[in-house]
Every structure is written in structure tokens, then in C-alpha cells.
Amino acid sequence: MTAPALPRHRSAALAESLVLVGRSVRLSRRDVETLVMAIALPLLMMALFVYVFGGAIETGGAYLTYVVPGIVLLCVGFGAAATAPAVADDMGRGMVDRLRSMPVAAAALVTGHVVASVARNALATGVVVAAAIAMGFRPDAEPLEWAAALGLLLLYVLALSALAAGLGALASSVQSASALTFFMLFLPYLSSAFVPTGTMPAVLRAVAEHQPITPVIETVRGLLTGAPIGSAGWAAVLWCVGLLVVSSGFAAWAYRRRTRR
Amino acid sequence: MTALALTVNDSATMLRRNLKRAVRYPGLTVIVAALPIVFLLLFVFVFGGTLGAGLGLPAGGRAEYLAYVVPGILVLAITGGAQGTAIGIAMDMTEGIIARFRTMSIARASVLTGHVVGAVIQTMVGLALVVAVALLIGFRPEANAVEWLAVIGVLGMTSFALSWLSVAMGLWTRTVEAASNVPMPLMLLPFFGSGFVPVESMPAGLRWFAEHQPFTPIIETVRGLLTGTAIGSSGLVATAWCAGIALVGYLWARRNYERRPAR
């Protein structure tokens, strides 16, 4: 026997999502350790690369100016990856089952986690950029360029968070959810984040130039510091939109797969 | 048997226990080598082209950087091994085996000695793996047999000193998780030395720190032995640091071990 469909107002899904967004944001706020790590790690990497290695890296200008976009991408990758263990935790501890016993939109839980991830990353990015400015980073971007850079970062964070949510739904435990997102933390190193791709050996260079993070970094770098963007802008937008569509579909599929039992 | 002979005997038994664990869980040794190998590949192939040009040598490229960075990677591997030691002893502490040993008539310090000597052997095997990968990707040291022995000696003494320190840390913490976090600063320290870039390229304050922290003389000694750069007083300073760290670690470990209430 199937349960009779309850009459639902169209705005109900939105209201439910908002409730779960609030829940995820509160969870993030109370998990101080994860939040501090998400901010401390990029700051540490920035200090390490600028002060320790920066003097020996030649990028044709101040190394700080070169590396800040890469650090921001590293930071949001790390923050978005934290979505996976959060979703896996809900899957493993029965939160999902509880929600499914109530008339709540299926997507609301994942939406909540993804939006909380965006909020977390906005905070972490703000701190990182503020620290960079304190260290002497002087972006010459116009308001419009700032808006474009932030918009692209938002797209990127949404895409990565949806991907991480999907991986979290797929993972069998919180630990394996963290392990599945390892590539998000590692890919920025194989990009133009820290050194120009021109200095890498041919094979690595091909990988670095054709993975999604490099065009995003090049675009943000161009918007903030006036470096040439070229075709990187379109490549970045296409990668982010493509990733967002694919990972949303993947997240929905993974969520349904886990909750069908 | 004399007291000393008994202590040596019990320590050998405890060492055998630790070596057995290392043999039965080869993953533990592989982990010691895995992270440094990833860092070696990352720094040589991704950053090496740029960092090689920044070495201040007449001809700087990836090959020159590989020769430069290997000593730093080896020291990084030793600190990784130290973290494993801290975790191992914290596990012994929380799982009750040490409480069991306390009830037996064995030399008290032998548990710690067994951990330290076992950790040194395990770390040296891990270092051999790292060197093998470095040779595979084109590292060509000019050291002769005596210099290689000296390299093994310097790395062994560093590992010995850090093992005592990490045993103390492992005893000091209350949980296994904390035991894996407390040695973290130790693992970061090689980066703030001469391991990855010359100290001359660092800003003044950092450069002072890098020149006076323990890992820089150790790295410079290993580098001089392997690739023929000037060692100067680094060898002596490195020995002094290692002796000091080993002594502090030993005293701290013994104090924690005695104070720790038996459960």
C-alpha cells in the first residue's frame, strides 16, 4: 500500500530547505575544530609559500600577488571537501531516515549541506584574503572584476560541494567520505596555483593545463591582479557549470541510491 | 645476571615485539615512506623547475633541485616516523598492554627502549625506500662508502633523538588522536629550514630562525656528505642538537612513564 500523497504547497520545499540550511550552518558553526582547520590550513600554506619558498620562486613579479588566487582555490577546495563527511555522518546516524519519515523534500538535506558549505567557504575566503592584504597583497580589481571573481568562486564552490555531497552519500563511513575527497585537496598542487605551468615537465604540464582548477585560478588571478586571462575565462565558466550540472546529478543519484533501501 | 644484563635482555624482548609488529603490518613502514615520496615527487616535478632556478647555482634546473631537496625529504621522513612512534606508544598506553607489563617483573624502561630502537630500525627502512625512489628518478649522489656510512649515522642519530622525543609525547598525551597531533609541529619544522630552499632566499627573521633550528645543520651535514657541498661546523652542531633532543626526550619520557598511574 502506498501512502496517499499529501497536498503540498510549492513553497514547502523551499521552506524545508531553509530549515535544513539553518541546521547545517549551525552544525558548521559548532564544529569549531573543522572551521579553524579550514581557515588555518590555507593561512599556513600561504605563509609557507610566500615567506619560505617565495624568495626562490621566480614568477615575474611579487610571489604573493601570484600565489593568492591559488591559496583561495586551495582554501575553498578544502572547505567544500568537508561537505562529504558531514553528509556521510547524516547518512550513518539516521538523520536521513528520520527526515524520510516526514513529508520533507528529498533534496532539502543535501541543499542544506551545500549552502552551509558556501557560507563556510565565504568566511574562510574572507579571512584568507584579509590576511593576504595584511601581508601586502594589493589587488587592482574594479568592483565589477571583484564581482566576477566572486561569482566564479561561488560557482566553483557550489560544484565542488555538490560533488563532495554526492561522494559523502556514496561513502560507507565518515572516514571513507574524507578519503574520497582527497583529490580535491591535492589537485590544486598540480595546477598553476604555486608555479607557472611552463616550468613543469611536458606530461605534468599537459595535466596541469587541462584540469579544471588551472583555468579557474588563471581567471581569478587575471581579474584580481590584471594578469592576462585569454581563453581561461570561458574554460573556467564552462568547467564550473559543467561540473555543477554533473555533480548535482551525481549527488541526487547517490542520495537516492542510499535512501532507496 | 646483573641488573644491566637483565635490562638489556628485556629491552631486546621488547624490541622483538616492536619489530614483529613492523613485519606483520608492513603498511606502517610504507606510510613512513609514502608521504615523503609524494613530497619528493611534488617538489621535484611540480615545483622543481622554478625552485631549481632559485637555488642560486650557475646552472639551476630540475636535476640540481633533486640533488638539493633529497636531504630535506629524508629529514621529513624521520619526523613522519616519529609521529608513528608517538601513535604506537599511545596505543600501547590506552589499550592496557603497558599496564600488563607493569605487573610483570621486567625492567621498567625496556618497554620504552624497545619502542625507540624499533622505531629507528623501521624509520631507516622507510628512508631506504625514499632513497630508492630518489635514485629511480635520477638522484646521483657522489658519496663514497665512508660518506654513505656517515649519512646513515647522521640519519640514525636524528631518528634516535626524535624517537625519544616522540615516545615522551606519546606518553604525555591521553588519546591516540592527540598523539598523532602533538608531533605535527615537528613535521612542519623541516620546511622552515634549509631543506627545500636556501636560507639566503628567506626574509631576515625567518632566515635567522632557519639557520638556528636543529634540522638545518642536520640537513646541511647530510647534503654535504651526499653531494659534496660545504659542511663546516654543521656536523658538530647537528650532533649536539641530536644529543640534546635525545636527552630531553629520554628524561621527559621517563618522567611521564613513572608518573603515569597504572590502571
Side-chain angles (χ1 to χ4, degrees):
Chain A
M1 187 185 113
T2 53
L6 293 167
R8 280 167 59 85
H9 199 269
R10 193 167 291 170
S11 66
L14 182 67
E16 289 149 15
S17 294
L18 281 178
V19 169
L20 287 167
V21 165
R23 166 184 179 262
S24 290
V25 169
R26 274 196 303 280
L27 277 176
S28 300
R29 212 173 53 205
R30 287 172 191 169
D31 187 4
V32 179
E33 198 185 337
T34 307
L35 201 58
V36 168
M37 271 301 283
I39 295 173
L41 187 86
L43 290 183
L44 184 73
M45 292 305 291
M46 182 157 71
L48 186 66
F49 270 90
V50 170
Y51 293 128
V52 182
F53 305 146
I57 300 179
E58 184 51 58
T59 54
Y63 185 63
L64 178 65
T65 309
Y66 181 84
V67 85
V68 168
I71 297 288
V72 168
L73 265 277
L74 187 78
C75 170
V76 296
F78 190 74
T83 310
V87 171
D89 197 38
D90 278 353
M91 292 283 173
R93 289 210 294 192
M95 180 66 190
V96 171
D97 303 327
R98 181 77 188 88
L99 282 182
R100 276 167 47 76
S101 71
M102 305 192 291
V104 171
L109 182 73
V110 173
T111 309
H113 280 298
V114 170
V115 174
S117 165
V118 171
R120 262 197 328 265
N121 280 304
L123 174 71
T125 306
V127 174
V128 167
V129 172
I133 289 173
M135 285 164 69
F137 178 56
R138 295 288 172 268
D140 60 1
E142 315 271 325
L144 207 62
E145 289 172 318
W146 271 109
L150 290 179
L152 182 62
L153 281 177
L154 176 68
L155 260 184
Y156 178 76
V157 170
L158 279 175
L160 275 197
S161 304
L163 182 59
L167 291 172
L170 212 57
S172 52
S173 71
V174 175
Q175 279 84 358
S176 67
S178 298
L180 282 177
T181 56
F182 177 72
F183 71 94
M184 289 191 195
L185 313 184
F186 193 69
L187 266 188
Y189 296 97
L190 302 182
S191 76
S192 66
F194 298 103
V195 294
T197 53
T199 63
M200 298 176 190
V203 178
L204 211 55
R205 183 178 172 177
V207 172
E209 283 175 356
H210 296 94
Q211 61 129 317
I213 296 179
T214 297
V216 177
I217 289 177
E218 289 304 319
T219 309
V220 173
R221 183 176 286 142
L223 288 168
L224 293 187
T225 67
I229 298 179
S231 62
W234 288 115
V237 173
L238 280 178
W239 263 115
C240 287
V241 172
L243 264 180
L244 182 58
V245 172
V246 172
S247 15
S248 306
F250 166 67
W253 171 80
Y255 184 81
R256 270 200 307 273
R257 183 173 170 276
R258 264 305 279 277
T259 52
R260 207 182 291 144
R261 283 170 280 178
Chain B
M1 269 205 272
T2 62
L4 180 69
L6 279 173
T7 308
V8 171
N9 213 358
D10 292 344
S11 298
T13 309
M14 287 301 165
L15 171 62
R16 211 162 65 228
R17 165 175 180 254
N18 281 292
L19 290 182
K20 266 191 178 151
R21 190 173 65 168
V23 170
R24 285 180 194 165
Y25 301 96
L28 294 174
T29 310
V30 173
I31 283 177
V32 172
L35 191 71
I37 289 173
V38 169
F39 271 102
L40 177 70
L41 299 177
L42 180 69
F43 271 86
V44 169
F45 290 111
V46 180
F47 305 147
T50 316
L51 289 174
L55 284 180
L57 301 173
R62 201 174 312 283
E64 285 75 17
Y65 189 69
L66 173 60
Y68 183 85
V69 84
V70 167
I73 297 286
L74 291 176
V75 169
L76 188 71
I78 295 177
T79 62
Q83 187 194 30
T85 310
I87 294 173
I89 196 122
M91 278 169 68
D92 273 3
M93 272 304 200
T94 51
E95 284 172 3
I97 186 75
I98 289 194
R100 179 81 184 87
F101 288 146
R102 278 174 196 280
T103 67
M104 296 156 68
S105 66
I106 55 173
R108 289 174 73 81
S110 64
V111 180
L112 305 185
T113 320
H115 263 288
V116 168
V117 180
V120 171
I121 294 173
Q122 194 177 24
T123 303
M124 295 312 275
V125 173
L127 291 183
L129 287 175
V130 177
V131 171
V133 172
L135 292 173
L136 212 63
I137 62 174
F139 179 51
R140 294 290 172 266
E142 324 165 335
N144 57 33
V146 178
E147 285 169 325
W148 269 112
L149 278 180
V151 168
I152 294 171
V154 173
L155 294 174
M157 132 187 125
T158 309
S159 174
F160 179 74
L162 290 187
S163 293
W164 270 116
L165 191 62
S166 55
V167 162
M169 287 172 171
L171 290 170
W172 180 63
T173 55
R174 289 178 196 288
T175 63
V176 175
E177 195 179 36
S180 78
N181 286 333
V182 173
M184 278 291 180
L186 217 55
M187 301 174 74
L188 278 174
L189 214 48
F191 290 101
F192 296 89
S194 68
F196 297 86
V197 294
V199 292
E200 290 79 24
S201 67
M202 298 177 189
L206 195 64
R207 180 179 170 174
W208 185 89
F209 176 80
E211 282 173 350
H212 295 91
Q213 64 126 316
F215 287 131
T216 296
I218 295 168
I219 290 168
E220 287 305 318
T221 308
V222 174
R223 182 174 290 142
L225 290 168
L226 285 180
T227 63
T229 53
I231 298 180
S233 63
S234 293
L236 277 178
V237 180
T239 312
W241 267 114
C242 286
I245 294 172
L247 185 68
V248 169
Y250 171 72
L251 293 176
W252 189 22
R254 215 179 58 174
R255 196 164 140 238
N256 281 332
Y257 190 62
E258 299 294 335
R259 261 193 352 184
R260 188 99 179 182
R263 274 172 294 184

